[in-house]
Each structure stands twice: as C-alpha cells, then as structure tokens.
Amino acid sequence: MAASSGARPIAQVICDESEVSEECEMLLRSLPKAKGWLGSSAPLYKYQGSWYYARILHGVISTQQHFHPHPTDILLATIPKSGTTWLKAIAYSIVNRGGKSSAGGTGDNPLLTNSPHDLVPLLEINLYAGKPVPDLSSMPPPRLFASHLPISKLPAAAFCKVVCLCRNPKDTFTSEWNFTNKLKVVGEEETISIEEAFDMFCNGINAFGAYCGIAYWSTGRRAWRGLEDAKGVVDEMVKLCSFDRLSNLQVNKSMNGKINGVPNSIFFRRGNVGDSKNFLSSGMIDRLDRIVKDQFSPFGLEF
C-alpha cells in the first residue's frame, strides 16, 4: 500500500477516544492526564503506574482481559525503540527457518515483501487496540507476538516463552525522540523539544511508562538458551535481518504498514551505540546515568 495523503494523522489514531470501549472511556475520565510527546492533541493517561495514549490504553485493557497465551507461544517483550523491528525480524526468521519461509535472503521469504511489524503484531497496539476482540485460536503454533508492556502488566505471559530486549537508555531515548518527531511530521503535529522530552523521559512520562521499570529486567535476567542449527542457516538469518538489507527493501523504503498505516521507513534509523552523545548535553547524560545507576545497581545490572 503506497503512502496516502488522505490518511489520518497518527496522533488522531492513537488518541481517538471514540474508538475505545465504553469501559475504557469511563476509565479515562478518572485517570491522571499529561501532555504527550505527540503534542497536546494526543495526551497520555496514567494507568497501573504507566502512561498510555487513549487507544493504546484500550488495547492494554483488552489484552489483559482477552489474551490467553499457549505454552508454545513466543512473546517478544521490548521497551519502545530498543530494537523491536530487528528483534521481530530475527525471531520470525528463527521460527520460520524451515520450508518456503526459510532464512535465506531469496525466494518467497515474507520478510522480503512485508514489514517485520506486519509479520509479528504488537498485542496492545495491533491486535487488541481495535474492535471486536480478535480470535487467535486458529493460528498455528508456535504463535509469535510482541508487546511493549512490562511483564508485570501481562501476568499471563508467564505461561509462554518470553524474549526480552534491552538497550542503553540514552540511546533508547534518542531513538524515541527521533521516531516521535517523524510521526508528527506525518500528522502535522507541533514538535517537542529534546529538552522537554528528556525531562518527561527521566520522570517516566512517556508511552508505556518509565524505562527504568524493573519489571522488564526481572524477565531479562533469566538464563538464555543457545540455538543449534544447520551450518550456514544462522549466517543467512544475520544477512537477511541486517539493517542494510531490511532498510533497503522496497516494502520498507516506500510502503506503509498493513496494520498501522505508518510509513515503514520511520522504523529504520541507524542508531549506532553511543549515538546519544550527538543529541544530549553532558548534564543530560549525567542525569540519566544517575537514574539508571540508582534503579539497576541493586540488581547487579549496569551499562
């Protein structure tokens, strides 16, 4: 699907309270409210200790009520802008490494013609944010899903396999700020300064809540299992899922996502490790480093 000038601004889509359930609509009236990164037309609401845009909150509640994982399910749990697109591509390649969906970079591999976000949907944004509630019972195992919710907000996830991905918070912030401003170009919303966004980030006022929510890490500290596979398959997966390969595919250069309608290109930004130093002042870096140290050092975790 080519980009369309008639598409609704993304800010309207994610904060449209007319598309939420009656239960969620009533809840919104009672929740703390703050200006969101997308501007005043897309406020954030605080629910269960985290912040969400209106339509995403509907999806969060619906996910909590209706998502029933199978033991064979695989859930990718990521903080926004921590490498979700790449992890989806890698996980999809691993799960579908046999048959016509093999990891090889040629032929009819779906990754060559689809965005990773269309192949691995986010529970609270893609599957459960709309109405009616989707019926996932016919999906063959292993089912592959993703979520930006902390594990503590998805108690049912304990019954399936969970893969966590974490990234240096300074680089995560930088990517989130760049991504949000690209969304606002699409929606013609006002921009937010990096200083204002950084202050909100440090105070936990950003979509899905504070980066330093330790709930992400409780699962991330579990032991990782290795993968033994036929010689050459892993190399093919790495080649197919590399930044250069995925970002230069036609589907990711000039087409919109089938699920969210957002240009696929905005999910690809060469965010090199340490790139945040090109955006943040030394004072901002010191502030976030102190927050991370206070939050993570008791658990023996550091960046």
Side-chain angles (χ1 to χ4, degrees), residues 245-279:
R245 184 63 189 275
L246 289 177
S247 63
N248 283 299
L249 291 173
Q250 193 63 31
V251 63
N252 295 323
K253 289 174 63 177
S254 60
M255 299 175 70
N256 289 1
K258 296 176 183 176
I259 295 178
N260 53 35
V262 175
N264 293 330
S265 60
I266 71 171
F267 292 100
F268 294 88
R269 172 182 171 271
R270 192 178 290 278
N272 295 324
V273 175
D275 182 51
S276 55
K277 67 179 181 294
N278 297 314
F279 294 86

Side-chain angles (χ1 to χ4, degrees), residues 67-90:
F67 175 59
H68 302 291
H70 297 167
T72 56
D73 286 350
I74 301 171
L75 178 64
L76 311 180
T78 63
I79 297 167
K81 310 317 298 174
S82 61
T84 305
T85 306
W86 172 79
L87 181 62
K88 285 183 176 184
I90 287 286

Side-chain angles (χ1 to χ4, degrees), residues 186-226:
V186 174
E188 297 181 356
E189 290 291 319
E190 69 269 27
T191 59
I192 182 173
S193 70
I194 193 169
E195 292 80 11
E196 183 180 5
F198 183 78
D199 189 62
M200 295 170 71
F201 184 82
C202 288
N203 289 309
I205 305 176
N206 54 293
F208 297 97
Y211 176 92
C212 296
I214 203 63
Y216 279 107
W217 293 87
S218 61
T219 299
R221 296 180 69 199
R222 295 178 184 176
W224 288 78
R225 294 183 177 179

Side-chain angles (χ1 to χ4, degrees), residues 85 110-111 113-120 251-252 257 264 267-268:
T85 306
L111 273 174
T113 54
N114 294 272
S115 163
H117 295 287
D118 292 331
L119 297 174
V120 186
V251 63
N252 295 323
N264 293 330
F267 292 100
F268 294 88

Side-chain angles (χ1 to χ4, degrees), residues 5-299:
S5 59
R8 282 204 301 164
I10 189 66
Q12 290 183 11
V13 173
I14 65 175
C15 75
D16 191 346
E17 298 183 15
S18 68
E19 296 188 11
V20 304
S21 65
E22 183 178 346
E23 174 189 3
C24 183
E25 186 178 358
M26 294 178 62
L27 179 63
L28 288 173
R29 299 172 189 157
S30 65
L31 295 178
K33 185 177 178 180
K35 175 185 176 181
W37 290 31
L38 285 167
S40 57
S41 62
L44 288 165
Y45 295 89
K46 191 173 186 179
Y47 175 70
Q48 295 182 343
S50 298
W51 294 87
Y52 306 99
Y53 295 107
R55 190 164 179 267
I56 293 177
L57 178 57
H58 166 84
V60 170
I61 295 172
S62 183
T63 298
Q64 292 174 332
Q65 293 178 342
H66 301 292
F67 175 59
H68 302 291
H70 297 167
T72 56
D73 286 350
I74 301 171
L75 178 64
L76 311 180
T78 63
I79 297 167
K81 310 317 298 174
S82 61
T84 305
T85 306
W86 172 79
L87 181 62
K88 285 183 176 184
I90 287 286
Y92 184 87
S93 294
I94 293 174
V95 170
N96 298 283
R97 63 186 182 278
K100 67 177 183 179
S101 297
S102 62
T106 60
D108 54 1
N109 191 308
L111 273 174
L112 299 176
T113 54
N114 294 272
S115 163
H117 295 287
D118 292 331
L119 297 174
V120 186
L122 285 157
L123 292 171
E124 67 281 357
I125 295 179
N126 303 137
L127 293 178
Y128 289 98
K131 295 182 286 187
V133 174
D135 180 7
L136 308 178
S137 60
S138 62
M139 291 181 64
R143 304 186 306 180
L144 186 59
F145 304 111
S147 177
H148 286 323
L149 291 173
I151 300 304
S152 61
K153 303 297 193 298
L154 280 173
F159 298 101
C160 67
K161 300 178 181 68
V162 179
V163 179
C164 278
L165 177 65
C166 298
R167 183 186 183 192
N168 186 297
K170 297 187 289 290
D171 292 335
T172 299
F173 165 76
T174 300
S175 287
E176 186 170 358
W177 180 71
N178 277 282
F179 177 78
T180 301
N181 279 285
K182 288 179 182 178
L183 285 182
K184 286 184 297 189
V185 170
V186 174
E188 297 181 356
E189 290 291 319
E190 69 269 27
T191 59
I192 182 173
S193 70
I194 193 169
E195 292 80 11
E196 183 180 5
F198 183 78
D199 189 62
M200 295 170 71
F201 184 82
C202 288
N203 289 309
I205 305 176
N206 54 293
F208 297 97
Y211 176 92
C212 296
I214 203 63
Y216 279 107
W217 293 87
S218 61
T219 299
R221 296 180 69 199
R222 295 178 184 176
W224 288 78
R225 294 183 177 179
L227 173 66
E228 294 184 1
D229 214 324
K231 179 175 172 47
V233 172
V234 173
D235 290 339
E236 288 291 342
M237 289 181 184
V238 172
K239 179 180 178 181
L240 174 63
C241 300
S242 69
F243 176 85
D244 288 335
R245 184 63 189 275
L246 289 177
S247 63
N248 283 299
L249 291 173
Q250 193 63 31
V251 63
N252 295 323
K253 289 174 63 177
S254 60
M255 299 175 70
N256 289 1
K258 296 176 183 176
I259 295 178
N260 53 35
V262 175
N264 293 330
S265 60
I266 71 171
F267 292 100
F268 294 88
R269 172 182 171 271
R270 192 178 290 278
N272 295 324
V273 175
D275 182 51
S276 55
K277 67 179 181 294
N278 297 314
F279 294 86
L280 307 181
S281 67
S282 59
M284 296 164 80
I285 290 174
D286 289 343
R287 179 184 177 186
L288 192 48
D289 282 344
R290 288 194 300 271
I291 292 174
V292 171
K293 182 178 181 179
D294 291 342
Q295 290 285 331
F296 293 157
S297 59
F299 299 90

